[in-house]
Amino acid sequence: MSLLPQSTIEAQPHGMFQTSKQQLEASLLTEDAKSFLLALHYEFDSTRKELLKLRQEKQHALNSGYLPSFLPSTQHIRNSDWQVAYCPEDLQDRRVEITGPAEAKMMINALNSGAKVFMADLEDSLSPNWQNILEGHQALKDAVRHNLIFFDNKKSKAYSLNDEIATLIVRPRGLHLQEKNMRVSSTSMSASFFDFGLYMYHNAKERLARGTAPYFYLPKIESHLEARLWREVIEFTEERLGIPRGSVRVTMLVETIHAAFEMEEMLFELREYASGLNAGRWDYIFSFIKAFHKRSDCILPDRKQITMSVPFMKAYSEQLVKVCHKRGAHAIGGMSAYIPNRNDTLANEKAFRSISKDKHREAQQGFDGTWVAHPDLIAAAKAEFDKALGKNSHQKARLREDVNITGLELLNPEVPQGKITEEGMRQNINVVLQYMAAWLSGKGAVAINNLMEDAATAEISRAQLWQWVCHGVTLADGRQVDHKMYRELRDDEFHKLGNMPNLNEAAELLDEMIVCGSFKPFLTMRAYGLMEGNSN
């Protein structure tokens, strides 16, 4: 396994100062750590690639008119009586979970925020240049040992963790992504296996010694076969590292249309390790567009109109709650994109109203907890779940036997009074330009117009643009969308943004995604090759 040359310089302590890539490599990528990562690669990468090929085959079938359905071959799993593993004490109460990139400053703020859980993200909200990935893993290593420190040079002040902090969950990157700076011969290592394996190698035993365990959010899973792969990876890791079997706990994000039809099967495959499912709403919307991008009868309106109350989103969320509670798992609600703006009273009020309404809906549907993206929103989200949960840690006893979701309900693209507008086109263009410029500059979570944008929301925006342009949809004002209109609006939004770093690269990338005849599966896969600091 090759990587950037390993340095013998000792890493500086606890993230107080800027640490070089060479120092981080010396701290994290020891010979034993690389040996373990290599074992993961050789054991599982061929299966991963087979499953990615199966994804392509499913998409070809969808392009030919096939519709997803509940699998007849796994009906016995859905009909049989089984439960997921017991829930550890520090994962029982998940009423408010805060999420954010695995960066030292963010992690300290989030772990100290008063939320029950913090999801440290190595995926959609972290720009994956090599420095960021290494710093993220070092910050995780320090946080597990409760000695993470961030030094603010502007304020000449150090920030550290409180005695009581949120329960830590880590989200590795998805199975489709690669870590180009870790190569086996000429092959890049799976980013999933790199993130999962490096975190486990450095922290699993330490977590267990501190009375907790390694907890993960697993993203972008599309089938029970992919869940089975993760189970095998976890089993292999526990045995290889000498960790008691059944130590790890995972929550799977249901953020693809295929996963919506296999939720029970996914839990079954990981039942020894599963603690819950999460309604990853933004990726789910993107997945819906991607799955049916060829179909003119599945075109969705402006992004802001696709709320959790539209039929296919409501069906998906209620199915998730029912499945989780039937199997003894937590159902965790998704992220509302609104964030507060302390300098804008009206925007702030709108954000809090939106959060309260959204979290009230989730609590009433039966969710056991929810996500927020900003510490200021914790109190509003917590208030809604406190009312629903009372003195209980969750509401798994609500089995939602009144819910009986059909496949057609999960696939219903209707959005009542939905419209496609010039404003919606401009918003999508503006979001992708700003977000990808920031992403290429090393920032993966970006506040744009009082909304928190990450890779998932950027994917929705570019996917909608492709669909609207390629299908020549008609706007609410009667004009037909075409390449000429896209170019004019793109040029206008581009010039509004001025001299933002990497804006030219972002515009070229967006054009490549929209003007091409074929739909590209992931925006970030193409962008990753352009990112400074990644090997070719």
Side-chain angles (χ1 to χ4, degrees):
M1 178 176 289
S2 64
L3 65 157
L4 300 177
Q6 185 168 327
S7 170
T8 57
I9 301 173
E10 290 294 326
Q12 295 179 4
H14 316 322
M16 286 186 67
F17 309 102
Q18 179 70 29
T19 308
S20 71
K21 284 184 283 192
Q22 289 76 20
Q23 290 170 317
L24 290 165
E25 287 166 8
S27 171
L28 295 166
L29 296 169
T30 64
E31 289 304 317
D32 281 349
K34 288 188 290 182
S35 177
F36 172 61
L37 294 175
L38 186 65
L40 280 177
H41 174 85
Y42 281 131
E43 188 73 19
F44 298 109
D45 201 54
S46 60
T47 302
R48 180 185 72 90
K49 289 177 178 176
E50 289 173 4
L51 291 171
L52 293 180
K53 185 179 179 181
L54 185 58
R55 287 185 182 184
Q56 294 178 340
E57 293 172 358
K58 285 183 178 179
Q59 186 59 57
H60 289 319
L62 291 174
N63 293 346
S64 300
Y66 166 80
L67 290 177
S69 62
F70 296 105
L71 301 178
S73 61
T74 56
Q75 186 172 349
H76 65 284
I77 293 174
R78 298 192 297 275
N79 291 343
S80 59
D81 185 17
W82 52 270
Q83 296 276 289
V84 299
Y86 77 91
C87 183
E89 186 60 32
D90 59 349
L91 274 182
Q92 286 284 356
D93 192 332
R94 302 178 63 174
R95 68 187 68 200
V96 183
E97 301 187 351
I98 189 168
T99 76
E103 300 169 348
K105 182 180 179 181
M106 165 61 77
M107 289 178 63
I108 291 171
N109 288 338
L111 288 166
N112 290 343
S113 67
K116 294 292 185 180
V117 170
F118 167 52
M119 186 201 76
D121 194 14
L122 293 163
E123 199 217 16
D124 276 356
S125 67
L126 184 77
S127 175
N129 66 48
W130 189 227
Q131 182 80 25
N132 283 353
I133 292 298
L134 293 173
E135 287 182 353
H137 277 284
Q138 185 64 50
L140 288 168
K141 185 177 176 182
D142 291 337
V144 165
R145 290 154 180 81
H146 218 99
N147 57 13
L148 179 63
I149 296 173
F150 175 78
F151 189 78
D152 189 326
N153 290 311
K154 292 182 179 179
K155 298 180 180 179
S156 296
K157 184 178 180 180
Y159 296 85
S160 60
L161 296 176
N162 296 338
D163 291 337
E164 292 188 15
I165 59 174
T167 297
L168 176 64
I169 303 182
V170 176
R171 178 163 71 169
R173 285 169 284 176
L175 288 170
H176 63 290
L177 297 172
Q178 295 179 318
E179 178 45 72
K180 294 184 179 181
N181 293 280
M182 294 294 294
R183 292 180 179 273
V184 182
S185 300
S186 60
T187 302
S188 296
M189 185 176 184
S190 159
S192 285
F193 298 162
F194 177 83
D195 290 340
F196 174 83
L198 196 60
Y199 179 79
M200 285 291 289
Y201 177 84
H202 285 294
N203 303 297
K205 290 182 179 178
E206 185 70 24
R207 290 282 286 174
L208 291 167
R210 290 174 177 267
T212 180
Y215 302 144
F216 293 91
Y217 260 109
L218 300 181
K220 308 290 191 293
I221 295 177
E222 295 200 7
S223 71
H224 71 285
L225 297 179
E226 294 181 12
R228 181 181 299 169
L229 170 62
W230 272 113
R231 186 195 75 215
E232 292 170 352
V233 168
I234 294 168
E235 290 172 347
F236 177 89
T237 299
E238 288 179 335
E239 182 177 355
R240 181 87 176 208
L241 297 181
I243 306 300
R245 180 160 178 147
S247 296
V248 174
R249 287 292 178 273
V250 301
T251 303
M252 288 174 281
L253 289 123
V254 180
E255 46 193 354
T256 69
I257 187 66
H258 296 292
F261 286 91
E262 298 187 39
M263 287 190 253
E264 286 191 81
E265 293 90 334
M266 286 159 52
L267 283 175
F268 179 79
E269 291 292 345
L270 275 160
R271 61 193 180 280
E272 190 175 355
Y273 301 102
S275 61
L277 300 175
N278 176 288
R281 64 175 75 173
W282 303 114
D283 271 298
Y284 191 78
I285 295 170
F286 165 57
S287 172
F288 190 94
I289 300 169
K290 179 169 67 171
F292 305 118
H293 67 270
K294 287 278 192 179
R295 297 180 65 115
S296 60
D297 59 342
C298 290
I299 296 174
L300 299 178
D302 288 3
R303 194 184 98 178
K304 67 180 181 180
Q305 298 175 45
I306 311 171
T307 67
M308 294 303 293
S309 64
V310 303
F312 80 98
M313 296 299 288
K314 182 181 179 183
Y316 143 75
S317 60
E318 295 204 325
Q319 175 74 358
L320 188 147
V321 172
K322 179 175 182 176
V323 165
C324 282
H325 290 181
K326 176 182 178 183
R327 303 306 181 182
H330 280 80
I332 307 298
M335 181 78 71
S336 173
Y338 283 101
I339 56 172
N341 183 339
R342 293 166 182 171
N343 299 317
D344 187 333
T345 302
L346 292 178
N348 220 22
E349 291 175 355
K350 182 178 181 180
F352 281 110
R353 285 198 305 270
S354 173
I355 288 293
S356 294
K357 181 179 179 181
D358 186 57
K359 304 315 172 188
H360 176 77
R361 173 194 55 78
E362 288 179 332
Q364 292 305 305
Q365 282 184 309
F367 282 94
D368 304 292
T370 191
W371 275 10
V372 297
H374 194 284
D376 288 354
L377 301 176
I378 291 172
K382 183 176 181 295
E384 296 300 332
F385 277 88
D386 285 348
K387 286 187 285 188
L389 271 60
K391 296 181 179 180
N392 300 316
S393 298
H394 50 74
Q395 47 183 341
K396 293 179 186 177
R398 286 192 62 192
L399 298 179
R400 291 307 310 267
E401 293 175 342
D402 57 308
V403 171
N404 187 22
I405 301 299
T406 66
L408 290 177
E409 288 175 294
L410 289 172
L411 298 172
N412 181 6
E414 180 186 1
V415 179
Q417 287 82 52
K419 297 178 181 178
I420 302 171
T421 67
E422 179 182 320
E423 178 190 2
M425 286 192 69
R426 287 184 178 277
Q427 181 191 36
N428 281 342
I429 292 168
N430 185 280
V431 163
V432 179
L433 290 177
Q434 288 199 62
Y435 180 77
M436 291 314 302
W439 194 89
L440 291 168
S441 300
K443 189 174 183 180
V446 186
I448 302 175
N449 299 324
N450 300 312
L451 298 175
M452 182 58 72
E453 305 287 352
D454 67 5
T457 54
E459 289 281 27
I460 297 172
S461 291
R462 71 90 182 180
Q464 286 201 309
L465 288 168
W466 185 94
Q467 197 177 41
W468 296 346
V469 170
C470 289
H471 285 281
V473 300
T474 301
L475 297 181
D477 60 14
R479 289 178 294 159
Q480 186 175 20
V481 175
D482 56 19
H483 287 92
K484 181 174 181 291
M485 180 186 292
Y486 161 73
R487 289 281 191 183
E488 291 173 351
L489 296 180
R490 199 275 277 165
D491 288 347
D492 196 21
E493 294 302 314
F494 177 88
H495 291 303
K496 288 178 185 178
L497 296 175
N499 296 318
M500 181 181 293
N502 288 310
L503 186 59
N504 287 329
E505 292 81 359
E508 290 174 5
L509 183 61
L510 179 58
D511 287 349
E512 183 181 332
M513 292 288 116
I514 305 307
V515 178
C516 67
S518 60
F519 185 91
K520 305 297 183 184
F522 289 100
L523 168 65
T524 50
M525 288 181 69
R526 176 68 183 97
Y528 183 54
L530 305 176
M531 179 173 285
E532 183 179 354
N534 288 322
S535 60
N536 296 318

